[in-house]
Short mmCIF file of all heavy atoms in Angstrom, two decimals:
data_model
loop_
_atom_site.label_atom_id
_atom_site.label_comp_id
_atom_site.label_asym_id
_atom_site.label_seq_id
_atom_site.Cartn_x
_atom_site.Cartn_y
_atom_site.Cartn_z
N LEU A 10 16.86 -0.72 -6.73
CA LEU A 10 17.70 0.07 -5.83
C LEU A 10 16.88 0.70 -4.72
O LEU A 10 17.33 0.76 -3.57
CB LEU A 10 18.48 1.12 -6.62
CG LEU A 10 19.49 0.59 -7.61
CD1 LEU A 10 20.14 1.73 -8.39
CD2 LEU A 10 20.54 -0.26 -6.91
N VAL A 27 0.94 1.72 16.08
CA VAL A 27 -0.41 2.29 16.09
C VAL A 27 -0.84 2.48 14.65
O VAL A 27 -0.01 2.65 13.77
CB VAL A 27 -0.47 3.65 16.84
CG1 VAL A 27 -0.19 3.49 18.31
CG2 VAL A 27 0.46 4.66 16.21
N TRP A 31 0.80 6.56 7.14
CA TRP A 31 2.24 6.51 6.99
C TRP A 31 2.61 7.23 5.70
O TRP A 31 1.97 7.04 4.67
CB TRP A 31 2.72 5.06 6.93
CG TRP A 31 2.31 4.25 8.11
CD1 TRP A 31 1.36 3.28 8.15
CD2 TRP A 31 2.81 4.35 9.44
NE1 TRP A 31 1.25 2.77 9.42
CE2 TRP A 31 2.12 3.42 10.22
CE3 TRP A 31 3.78 5.16 10.05
CZ2 TRP A 31 2.38 3.25 11.57
CZ3 TRP A 31 4.03 4.99 11.38
CH2 TRP A 31 3.34 4.05 12.15
N HIS A 40 13.60 8.08 -15.66
CA HIS A 40 13.31 6.69 -16.05
C HIS A 40 12.01 6.16 -15.41
O HIS A 40 11.57 5.06 -15.74
CB HIS A 40 14.49 5.76 -15.72
CG HIS A 40 14.77 5.61 -14.26
ND1 HIS A 40 15.60 6.46 -13.58
CD2 HIS A 40 14.32 4.71 -13.36
CE1 HIS A 40 15.64 6.07 -12.32
NE2 HIS A 40 14.88 5.02 -12.16
N CYS A 42 9.31 7.87 -15.83
CA CYS A 42 8.31 8.56 -16.65
C CYS A 42 8.12 7.87 -17.99
O CYS A 42 8.98 7.13 -18.47
CB CYS A 42 8.73 10.03 -16.85
SG CYS A 42 8.84 10.92 -15.27
N HIS A 47 5.54 12.13 -17.94
CA HIS A 47 5.00 12.15 -16.59
C HIS A 47 5.11 10.74 -16.01
O HIS A 47 5.37 9.80 -16.75
CB HIS A 47 3.56 12.70 -16.53
CG HIS A 47 2.56 11.90 -17.29
ND1 HIS A 47 1.93 12.39 -18.41
CD2 HIS A 47 2.08 10.66 -17.12
CE1 HIS A 47 1.09 11.48 -18.87
NE2 HIS A 47 1.16 10.42 -18.11
N LEU A 48 4.95 10.63 -14.72
CA LEU A 48 5.09 9.36 -14.04
C LEU A 48 4.22 8.32 -14.71
O LEU A 48 3.01 8.53 -14.90
CB LEU A 48 4.70 9.51 -12.55
CG LEU A 48 5.02 8.35 -11.62
CD1 LEU A 48 6.53 8.13 -11.53
CD2 LEU A 48 4.45 8.60 -10.24
N PHE A 56 5.45 2.29 -6.37
CA PHE A 56 5.64 3.14 -5.20
C PHE A 56 4.72 2.72 -4.06
O PHE A 56 5.11 2.74 -2.89
CB PHE A 56 5.42 4.61 -5.55
CG PHE A 56 6.48 5.24 -6.40
CD1 PHE A 56 6.27 6.49 -6.96
CD2 PHE A 56 7.70 4.63 -6.64
CE1 PHE A 56 7.25 7.12 -7.72
CE2 PHE A 56 8.68 5.22 -7.41
CZ PHE A 56 8.46 6.48 -7.95
N GLY A 69 6.07 -2.16 12.92
CA GLY A 69 6.83 -3.11 13.70
C GLY A 69 6.46 -4.57 13.45
O GLY A 69 6.80 -5.44 14.22
N LYS A 73 8.57 -9.66 11.98
CA LYS A 73 7.80 -10.76 12.59
C LYS A 73 7.11 -11.60 11.54
O LYS A 73 7.10 -12.82 11.62
CB LYS A 73 6.76 -10.20 13.58
CG LYS A 73 7.34 -9.48 14.77
CD LYS A 73 6.24 -8.84 15.58
CE LYS A 73 6.77 -8.00 16.70
NZ LYS A 73 5.70 -7.30 17.44
N TRP A 79 5.13 -15.35 6.39
CA TRP A 79 3.87 -14.83 5.89
C TRP A 79 4.15 -13.96 4.67
O TRP A 79 5.16 -13.27 4.63
CB TRP A 79 3.17 -13.99 6.94
CG TRP A 79 2.61 -14.74 8.11
CD1 TRP A 79 2.71 -16.08 8.36
CD2 TRP A 79 1.90 -14.18 9.20
NE1 TRP A 79 2.10 -16.38 9.54
CE2 TRP A 79 1.58 -15.23 10.09
CE3 TRP A 79 1.49 -12.91 9.53
CZ2 TRP A 79 0.88 -15.05 11.26
CZ3 TRP A 79 0.80 -12.71 10.69
CH2 TRP A 79 0.48 -13.77 11.55
N VAL A 82 -0.49 -10.49 0.12
CA VAL A 82 -0.97 -10.72 -1.23
C VAL A 82 -2.02 -9.66 -1.57
O VAL A 82 -2.99 -9.48 -0.85
CB VAL A 82 -1.59 -12.14 -1.36
CG1 VAL A 82 -2.15 -12.35 -2.76
CG2 VAL A 82 -0.55 -13.20 -1.01
N GLN A 98 9.83 15.64 -9.92
CA GLN A 98 8.88 16.09 -8.90
C GLN A 98 8.93 15.15 -7.69
O GLN A 98 9.02 13.94 -7.85
CB GLN A 98 7.47 16.17 -9.47
CG GLN A 98 6.47 16.81 -8.53
CD GLN A 98 5.15 17.10 -9.22
OE1 GLN A 98 4.95 16.83 -10.40
NE2 GLN A 98 4.22 17.66 -8.46
N TRP A 109 -10.96 -3.38 7.72
CA TRP A 109 -10.63 -4.80 7.60
C TRP A 109 -11.83 -5.63 8.00
O TRP A 109 -12.73 -5.18 8.73
CB TRP A 109 -9.40 -5.17 8.42
CG TRP A 109 -9.51 -4.95 9.91
CD1 TRP A 109 -10.08 -5.79 10.83
CD2 TRP A 109 -9.05 -3.83 10.64
NE1 TRP A 109 -9.99 -5.25 12.07
CE2 TRP A 109 -9.36 -4.05 12.00
CE3 TRP A 109 -8.40 -2.66 10.29
CZ2 TRP A 109 -9.02 -3.12 12.99
CZ3 TRP A 109 -8.08 -1.75 11.28
CH2 TRP A 109 -8.40 -1.99 12.62
N VAL A 121 0.59 12.42 -3.21
CA VAL A 121 0.48 13.88 -3.07
C VAL A 121 1.83 14.55 -3.25
O VAL A 121 2.87 13.98 -2.97
CB VAL A 121 -0.11 14.26 -1.69
CG1 VAL A 121 -1.50 13.69 -1.49
CG2 VAL A 121 0.78 13.79 -0.55
N SER A 123 3.59 18.72 -2.72
CA SER A 123 3.43 19.80 -1.74
C SER A 123 2.18 20.64 -1.98
O SER A 123 1.71 21.36 -1.08
CB SER A 123 4.65 20.70 -1.74
OG SER A 123 4.86 21.22 -3.04
N LYS A 129 -5.29 8.59 -6.34
CA LYS A 129 -5.82 7.92 -5.16
C LYS A 129 -6.05 6.46 -5.52
O LYS A 129 -6.70 6.16 -6.52
CB LYS A 129 -7.15 8.59 -4.76
CG LYS A 129 -7.71 8.13 -3.47
CD LYS A 129 -8.93 8.98 -3.12
CE LYS A 129 -9.53 8.53 -1.81
NZ LYS A 129 -10.69 9.35 -1.46
N PHE A 136 -3.01 -11.60 4.23
CA PHE A 136 -1.75 -12.26 4.60
C PHE A 136 -1.93 -13.76 4.41
O PHE A 136 -2.99 -14.31 4.73
CB PHE A 136 -1.41 -11.96 6.06
CG PHE A 136 -0.89 -10.58 6.30
CD1 PHE A 136 -1.77 -9.50 6.32
CD2 PHE A 136 0.45 -10.36 6.52
CE1 PHE A 136 -1.31 -8.22 6.56
CE2 PHE A 136 0.92 -9.07 6.75
CZ PHE A 136 0.04 -8.01 6.76
N GLN A 138 0.24 -17.74 4.48
CA GLN A 138 1.40 -18.58 4.76
C GLN A 138 1.22 -19.81 3.88
O GLN A 138 0.32 -20.63 4.15
CB GLN A 138 1.46 -18.95 6.24
CG GLN A 138 2.70 -19.73 6.59
CD GLN A 138 2.75 -20.05 8.08
OE1 GLN A 138 1.74 -20.41 8.67
NE2 GLN A 138 3.92 -19.89 8.67
N ASP A 155 -4.89 -3.81 19.25
CA ASP A 155 -6.08 -4.33 19.91
C ASP A 155 -7.21 -3.33 19.74
O ASP A 155 -7.50 -2.53 20.61
CB ASP A 155 -5.79 -4.56 21.40
CG ASP A 155 -6.96 -5.19 22.11
OD1 ASP A 155 -7.78 -5.85 21.45
OD2 ASP A 155 -7.07 -4.99 23.34
N SER A 164 -16.94 3.80 0.11
CA SER A 164 -16.11 3.47 -1.04
C SER A 164 -15.75 1.98 -1.06
O SER A 164 -15.72 1.35 -2.12
CB SER A 164 -14.83 4.30 -1.03
OG SER A 164 -14.08 4.07 0.16
#
Side-chain angles (χ1 to χ4, degrees):
L10 295 177
V27 294
W31 303 107
H40 67 272
C42 298
H47 62 247
L48 190 64
F56 287 170
K73 296 174 186 176
W79 289 2
V82 178
Q98 188 170 0
W109 61 83
V121 299
S123 58
K129 188 174 180 179
F136 286 76
Q138 185 178 42
D155 184 25
S164 60

